[in-house]
Amino acid sequence: MTSPATLDPGYRPHDLLWLEDASALIFSGAPPPWATPAWLAVAPVVVRRATLADPAQVPVGLRGSTRSKRCAARLSARDVVRVLKPEEIARSAAGRARVHESPLACLQALARLGPALDALPLAWGVTGGVGFSLASGLDVLRPDSDLDLILRAPLATDADALRAAAQLLRNVAARVDAQVETPFGAFALQEWVRTGGPVLLKTSGGPILTDDAWSVPDVAFFDAACRAMPA
């Protein structure tokens, strides 16, 4: 395992974290009964997009064995003993027999899309249930599970590569949810393609409607749009 002292505390949303001791998790109330020490000894937690008052703490989400088992928590960065990023999951998944031989549509889609995504000038990774399952070895996938991906697009000039990625996603059997990460948050690739620009940008402070996901979000514009929406 990696020593906590060597880890970069600047975790990003969708990074998977392992703890040496599940008691390090901090909950707003009582933890759910399924979040047992035995489960958390093998199941990672995922960094979620939120702002905490204490900068030394990391907002995380817990995932159980079924879709209904979800819970938010937080932890101290010093309690993390291992981290796995979505890009690392994608690279490690490429040669796994489980991905290439699975009857599940989501894993078949990953096997098909991987080489094509690698050819694009974008960093990409696997998140959601597929990423969790591949990283932990826990069987949480179902026949109708989605394939969740993250595409790193730090510059507005990455737009052409994103359009190419969107074309690739149209020709797979599984439902693919691709999130595009910019320096200011993340948005759904399909929404961006459909609207031609305006998207709901997920930020650590909440979602913001913006015409340009590569510029500082206009909070005032978002507030005005919300006020204009019918109750």
Side-chain angles (χ1 to χ4, degrees):
M1 284 189 175
T2 306
S3 166
T6 66
L7 287 172
D8 179 3
Y11 305 123
R12 297 192 291 187
H14 304 293
D15 286 355
L16 295 180
L17 311 178
W18 281 261
L19 308 177
E20 189 167 21
D21 186 351
S23 66
L25 288 166
I26 304 168
F27 299 90
S28 298
W34 53 263
T36 63
W39 175 258
L40 292 172
V42 292
V45 297
V46 60
V47 178
R48 57 188 172 88
R49 204 180 303 275
T51 300
L52 299 180
D54 186 348
Q57 292 184 340
V58 182
V60 297
L62 283 65
R63 175 189 288 267
S65 58
T66 63
R67 179 180 291 178
S68 63
K69 295 178 179 178
R70 300 287 188 273
C71 181
R74 61 189 190 278
L75 55 85
S76 173
R78 66 174 179 269
D79 293 314
V80 176
V81 295
R82 183 187 173 201
V83 57
L84 197 60
K85 299 182 179 299
E87 294 91 333
E88 295 171 326
I89 298 173
R91 289 197 299 270
S92 65
R96 291 189 180 184
R98 181 184 175 193
V99 172
H100 292 277
E101 299 175 3
S102 174
L104 295 176
C106 58
L107 294 183
Q108 291 177 353
L110 177 57
R112 178 176 178 179
L113 288 171
L117 290 173
D118 284 339
L120 296 178
L122 295 172
W124 68 280
V126 185
T127 63
V130 171
F132 178 91
S133 184
L134 292 175
S136 66
L138 296 168
D139 187 10
V140 298
L141 300 177
R142 306 174 311 280
D144 62 344
S145 290
D146 297 344
L147 172 61
D148 296 292
L149 302 175
I150 186 76
L151 304 174
R152 309 289 187 190
L155 303 172
T157 51
D158 292 321
D160 287 342
L162 291 176
R163 294 187 186 95
Q167 288 289 338
L168 295 174
L169 305 187
R170 293 180 178 178
N171 301 314
V172 293
R175 182 182 183 277
V176 181
D177 180 10
Q179 294 287 312
V180 178
E181 189 82 28
T182 79
F184 303 103
F187 61 86
L189 175 62
Q190 289 85 345
E191 178 189 6
W192 178 76
V193 171
R194 184 178 67 254
T195 66
V199 290
L200 196 63
L201 188 69
K202 300 175 183 176
T203 75
S204 58
I208 295 175
L209 187 63
T210 177
D211 287 324
D212 184 358
W214 287 272
S215 64
V216 178
D218 187 344
V219 179
F221 174 78
F222 176 69
D223 290 343
C226 287
R227 289 193 297 269
M229 294 176 66

